[in-house]
Amino acid sequence: MDKRDSSILYLVLGIYSLMVSWYYNHNFIVLILTYIFWPVYLIYELLVGHLAHGMWRIIPMSYFK
């Protein structure tokens, strides 16, 4: 995987973590903190279970309905 592929994946996962943060919090301060520390936030959401039972798929779909 070259540099461009990894940077696109990094960008997509960062946007995904912002979508998850806004879905659960609706708070700009938390959204800014998520933007800064998004890898930690995404791992936290996975460990807590907020993305279980198909929520990993439902959350992005809720923005495009």
Side-chain angles (χ1 to χ4, degrees), residues 10-64:
Y10 194 80
L11 176 70
V12 169
L13 287 175
I15 292 170
Y16 182 75
S17 66
L18 291 176
M19 291 169 70
V20 170
S21 174
W22 186 256
Y23 184 83
Y24 284 116
N25 299 315
H26 291 288
N27 188 344
F28 285 112
I29 295 171
V30 175
L31 192 68
I32 291 169
L33 289 173
T34 302
Y35 177 72
I36 295 170
F37 302 110
W38 74 262
V40 175
Y41 181 77
L42 199 57
I43 291 170
Y44 168 76
E45 290 293 327
L46 285 169
L47 291 175
V48 169
H50 284 166
L51 300 178
H53 305 293
M55 287 305 289
W56 65 272
R57 194 173 15 140
I58 293 170
I59 292 172
M61 288 174 54
S62 70
Y63 288 104
F64 297 110

